[in-house]
């Protein structure tokens, strides 16, 4: 089974509408829809924004469904000038850019317990995502995705994150999904379509471009599921 998690309804509903044989399970405030998509067994959920929402949803999904892999999909701000609006960023690893226990001797962004700064994404899943995105004619980048509990909309904020982890994209859930997956030995993939430049115009661009950007990720996920049959 493949798990798919997005933060917002708009990041998930396009896929959910195409599922068949669906069965809904609720636990806490998380709602899981299991069923078939493109011939594959999938379970889908909207986790809500932010790292805690994402980690709780991922953990619950793993406990309930024991998926072989979990994909975090959705939109993101660009983390680098090489990455434009509607480009796709596929995570090689994710970093919690707002994690900082450096005053007590740890490196910046170090996540204790799992003992990592860069939380890895699965290589074969990344390759499958890239092939699917390129087959859909979408410009793709692979690299670090920075996750934190802020919507990034200014040069100062973005530059501070860039100084920490040189990301290609900034968003609010990927590293938390990867963290929960890592703790359970579940493969993780992160696929993000860029909706804004995380700059002073981000709050204007995001509502204009997010819907189409989310739809781009749905095309890629469906293409990948079909190719995995
Ligand atoms: N998701 C989409 N755009 C974002 C931004 N600028 N910051 C954080 N998360 C985002």
């Amino acid at each position: 089974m493949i798990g798919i998690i997005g933060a917002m309804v708009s990041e998930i509903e396009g896929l959910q509408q195409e599922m068949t044989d669906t069965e809904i399970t609720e636990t806490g405030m998380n709602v899981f829809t299991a069923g078939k998509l493109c011939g594959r067994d999938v379970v889908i959920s909207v986790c809500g924004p932010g790292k805690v929402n994402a980690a709780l949803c991922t953990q619950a999904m793993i406990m309930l469904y024991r998926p072989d892999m979990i994909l975090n999909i959705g939109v993101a701000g660009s983390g680098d000038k090489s990455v434009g609006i509607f480009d796709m960023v596929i995570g090689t690893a994710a970093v919690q850019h707002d994690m900082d226990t450096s005053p007590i001797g740890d490196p910046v962004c170090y996540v204790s317990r799992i003992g990592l700064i860069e939380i890895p994404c699965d290589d074969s899943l990344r390759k499958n995502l890239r092939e699917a995105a390129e087959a859909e004619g979408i410009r793709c980048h692979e690299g670090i995705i920075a996750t934190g509990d802020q919507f990034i909309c200014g040069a100062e904020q973005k530059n501070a994150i860039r100084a920490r982890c040189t990301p290609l994209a900034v968003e609010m859930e990927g590293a938390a999904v990867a963290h929960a997956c890592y703790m359970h030995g579940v493969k993780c993939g992160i696929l993000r379509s860029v909706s804004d430049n995380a700059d002073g115009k981000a709050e204007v661009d995001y509502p204009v471009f997010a819907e189409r950007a989310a739809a781009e990720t749905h095309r890629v996920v469906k293409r990948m599921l079909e190719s995995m049959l």
Side-chain angles (χ1 to χ4, degrees):
M1 174 170 280
I2 300 173
I4 301 172
I5 294 176
M8 313 297 280
V9 171
S10 58
E11 291 171 321
I12 286 296
E13 69 184 348
L15 291 179
Q16 201 165 350
Q17 280 158 4
E18 297 199 29
M19 287 175 69
T20 58
D21 310 307
T22 54
E23 196 170 309
I24 292 173
T25 302
E26 289 185 37
T27 177
M29 293 173 75
N30 285 307
V31 181
F32 297 99
T33 306
K36 295 257 183 215
L37 181 64
C38 304
R40 301 281 313 208
D41 289 323
V42 301
V43 55
I44 279 191
S45 191
V46 175
C47 67
K51 301 201 308 293
V52 176
N53 278 331
L56 288 168
C57 180
T58 306
Q59 167 96 359
M61 181 181 275
I62 292 169
M63 302 313 286
L64 282 170
Y65 296 93
R66 302 273 163 206
D68 307 299
M69 59 188 78
I70 295 182
L71 268 181
N72 173 231
I73 63 168
V75 303
S78 168
D80 187 89
K81 57 179 182 314
S82 65
V83 180
I85 289 178
F86 300 134
D87 282 7
M88 200 66 76
V89 178
I90 301 165
T92 51
V95 173
Q96 297 180 23
H97 69 73
D98 53 357
M99 185 70 186
D100 186 5
T101 50
S102 62
I104 53 170
D106 293 325
V108 173
C109 303
Y110 179 77
V111 182
S112 294
R113 192 147 206 234
I114 58 172
L116 293 171
I117 293 173
E118 296 185 1
I119 309 170
C121 296
D122 182 69
D123 284 338
S124 62
L125 194 45
R126 175 160 55 88
K127 194 165 150 280
N128 289 340
L129 286 167
R130 179 162 199 139
E131 281 169 8
E134 284 179 345
E136 288 293 323
I138 298 170
R139 216 161 84 101
C140 270
H141 309 263
E142 291 181 30
I144 299 290
I145 293 184
T147 303
D149 288 324
Q150 300 93 30
F151 186 87
I152 307 304
C153 52
E156 204 180 313
Q157 238 181 335
K158 180 167 160 176
N159 288 337
I161 295 168
R162 286 179 52 75
R164 286 187 166 194
C165 61
T166 56
L168 295 185
V170 294
E171 40 84 304
M172 300 177 67
E173 298 81 26
V177 174
H179 184 162
C181 284
Y182 186 85
M183 290 183 78
H184 290 274
V186 174
K187 293 176 191 167
C188 178
I190 307 176
L191 177 73
R192 295 283 180 159
S193 177
V194 170
S195 58
D196 60 85
N197 288 315
D199 57 6
K201 276 178 57 225
E203 66 268 49
V204 181
D205 289 342
Y206 172 86
V208 177
F209 299 125
E211 197 176 326
R212 178 174 151 200
E216 300 277 270
T217 68
H218 301 164
R219 282 206 283 144
V220 174
V221 170
K222 286 189 286 180
R223 166 79 73 146
M224 186 187 77
L225 293 177
E226 278 155 9
S227 73
M228 286 166 92
L229 276 176

